[in-house]
Amino acid sequence: MTSDDKPHDQLLANPANWSPETRLVHGGTLRSQYGETSEALFLTQGFVYNSAEQAEARFKNEDPGFQYSRFANPTVSMFEERMRLLEGAEDCRATATGMAAVTAAILSYLRAGDHIVSARALFGSCRYIVEDLCPRFGIQSTLVDGHDLAAWKAAMRTNTRAFFFETPSNPTLELVDIAAVSKIAHETGALVMVDNVFATPMLQRPLQHGADVVIYSATKHVDGQGRCLGGAVLASKHFVKDYLHDYLRQTGPALSPFNAWVMLKGLETLPIRVKAQCETAAKLAGHLAGLKGIRKVIYCGRPDHPQYELAQRQMTGGGQIITFEVEGGKTAAFQFLNALRIIKISNNLGDTKSLVTHPTTTTHQRLKPEARAELGITDGMIRLSVGLESADDLAADLDAGLRAAR
Ligand SMILES: *Cc1c(COP(=O)(O)O)cnc(C)c1O
């Protein structure tokens, strides 16, 4: 973990030397005067000062401490520090939702006259930000096929200041080569922003592959139990100080302390949840691939994934999402979904409960049929987010779904 030749016990003085599992249990903890074991929930809007002089000093940044929870809050700060330690980033800022994190990263950095290049296979709301919102404020945008390195290169202009993509993508699990795309972006000094939700921070560290900004919807695996919305942006101290800080402070997409507290507790179990979900997902992907009536199974951990070699290189696991196609189009897909007993129909993901969605009629309904075809999203396609139930029960549920679809 470190080339330092100090003994292990001395290295433990610095949280940066802790293993990820340890960081996720202890990282960032701020204890109050009561010495509570579990992180305290500071459900407060503001903070009081001992004197008018102290209030003045705090507003001048001369006295350390909190002022107002739109700017910072102790529980939210604990969450940010734990995320920062996990990702190995210089700085982290939490937001109210994943979309607030995406919007803040992009709009705090870009201005009228700039250009952003993005992979076409984007989460629906992210595509709205890049395709519709940015141009309204004079930020030009270009969408490319994320796996096509030549397309990224060709899209570069003199005013290109950011690349934005997700990998693996939703729902077709297409990968973008983070290192190769970062190299192209950095030739002209553009920043690389990665939405790392599908891979989770346990399976992929974009900063280590050359990315500059990592964005999460903490709503997904970080909470992981379907309760609260939240988001995070991880980047250099410079990016946070010069761009993100004022934007977040003045526009106010702050994470609620309550939600931060839930997320903090979620982080403690993130490694074991993701590991168990990946193991079950790998089993189910294999099971589905052997079934009659299933046309195609897409899973990043399977050698028949079209970019398996890249998945092996940049991810440390196959993930907990499987996308597959049933024969018989929308009718069969609906019959399949409606026959499930354990797996729930929901457009969410990363939950302890297994969830299925039909992208064509839900998450990707906003796109025109041609745009869906371009992304490889078919009418028989189903996205499965694997939870923590028994693999045998889930396999039996999928079998029942398939029987109903025939
Ligand atoms: C869910 C999701 C988001 C948005 O997150 P919210 O917390 O719902 O705002 C962004 N990107 C990806 C890939 C997602 O899955």
Side-chain angles (χ1 to χ4, degrees), residues 233-279:
V233 181
L234 296 116
S236 67
K237 279 199 159 86
H238 159 74
F239 183 86
V240 172
K241 180 170 163 283
D242 289 359
Y243 300 101
L244 211 50
H245 179 84
D246 280 347
Y247 177 95
L248 292 177
R249 204 178 157 100
Q250 317 304 354
T251 66
L255 179 64
S256 139
F258 180 82
N259 291 4
W261 182 82
V262 171
M263 300 295 178
L264 264 169
K265 304 314 281 179
L267 283 175
E268 293 181 352
T269 57
L270 180 69
I272 53 175
R273 280 188 284 108
V274 170
K275 184 164 177 276
Q277 288 169 331
C278 289
E279 281 167 13

Side-chain angles (χ1 to χ4, degrees), residues 53-375:
E53 286 78 9
Q54 189 186 37
E56 182 186 30
R58 203 149 303 167
F59 272 80
K60 282 177 156 169
N61 272 332
E62 289 164 2
D63 180 64
F66 296 91
Q67 293 153 268
Y68 187 53
S69 288
R70 169 151 48 78
F71 306 164
N73 168 283
T75 308
V76 177
S77 297
M78 285 193 256
F79 171 65
E80 291 170 335
E81 178 62 5
R82 197 166 283 181
M83 285 295 292
R84 188 193 75 74
L85 283 166
L86 169 63
E87 196 72 28
E90 282 181 19
D91 213 344
C92 172
R93 285 300 158 90
T95 55
T97 64
M99 282 323 303
V102 170
T103 310
I106 292 177
L107 291 189
S108 70
Y109 183 63
L110 299 179
R111 58 183 63 219
D114 289 344
H115 175 233
I116 180 169
V117 186
S118 183
R120 188 170 285 125
L122 278 187
F123 184 75
S125 301
C126 295
R127 190 154 160 166
Y128 164 82
I129 304 287
V130 172
E131 211 175 12
D132 297 4
L133 193 64
C134 281
R136 276 211 249 148
F137 294 93
I139 302 162
Q140 304 157 3
S141 65
T142 305
L143 296 178
V144 298
D145 282 331
H147 56 84
D148 182 354
L149 294 178
W152 286 101
K153 219 176 170 98
M156 290 286 277
R157 301 179 192 160
T158 50
N159 58 339
T160 304
R161 289 189 72 226
F163 277 14
F164 174 62
F165 57 87
E166 57 186 74
T167 177
S169 71
N170 175 32
T172 54
L173 307 181
E174 211 178 88
L175 305 184
V176 176
D177 186 331
I178 303 170
V181 169
S182 299
K183 200 159 163 263
I184 295 169
H186 293 160
E187 274 164 27
T188 61
L191 290 193
V192 176
M193 304 184 177
V194 179
D195 177 337
N196 204 37
V197 169
F198 269 52
T200 84
M202 300 316 303
L203 304 180
Q204 180 169 274
R205 297 284 161 73
L207 299 178
Q208 291 175 4
H209 299 283
D212 303 286
V213 179
V214 181
I215 300 161
Y216 288 106
S217 163
T219 312
K220 312 295 164 57
H221 311 80
V222 171
D223 173 355
Q225 290 155 82
R227 300 163 297 191
C228 294
L229 301 179
V233 181
L234 296 116
S236 67
K237 279 199 159 86
H238 159 74
F239 183 86
V240 172
K241 180 170 163 283
D242 289 359
Y243 300 101
L244 211 50
H245 179 84
D246 280 347
Y247 177 95
L248 292 177
R249 204 178 157 100
Q250 317 304 354
T251 66
L255 179 64
S256 139
F258 180 82
N259 291 4
W261 182 82
V262 171
M263 300 295 178
L264 264 169
K265 304 314 281 179
L267 283 175
E268 293 181 352
T269 57
L270 180 69
I272 53 175
R273 280 188 284 108
V274 170
K275 184 164 177 276
Q277 288 169 331
C278 289
E279 281 167 13
T280 306
K283 279 186 204 155
L284 294 179
H287 179 75
L288 282 165
L291 296 178
K292 215 170 138 276
I294 300 283
R295 186 171 284 162
K296 184 174 172 188
V297 175
I298 313 172
Y299 181 61
C300 297
R302 277 178 65 82
D304 62 2
H305 186 285
Q307 296 164 291
Y308 182 65
E309 182 272 326
L310 176 58
Q312 294 282 300
R313 198 154 27 95
Q314 89 186 2
M315 296 169 69
T316 55
Q320 56 85 233
I321 305 275
I322 306 167
T323 298
F324 56 96
E325 206 181 315
V326 293
E327 279 169 15
K330 178 183 163 182
T331 308
F334 273 30
Q335 286 166 337
F336 186 103
L337 262 56
N338 291 337
L340 299 171
R341 303 263 171 81
I342 295 171
I343 304 169
K344 302 298 171 211
I345 304 171
S346 173
N347 46 288
N348 206 359
L349 60 100
D351 202 304
T352 52
K353 294 178 171 59
S354 292
L355 305 173
V356 269
T357 192
H358 182 246
T360 297
T361 52
T362 61
T363 53
H364 291 71
Q365 186 223 128
R366 198 179 72 90
L367 295 182
K368 294 199 179 75
E370 310 82 68
R372 275 198 297 272
E374 207 174 39
L375 296 172

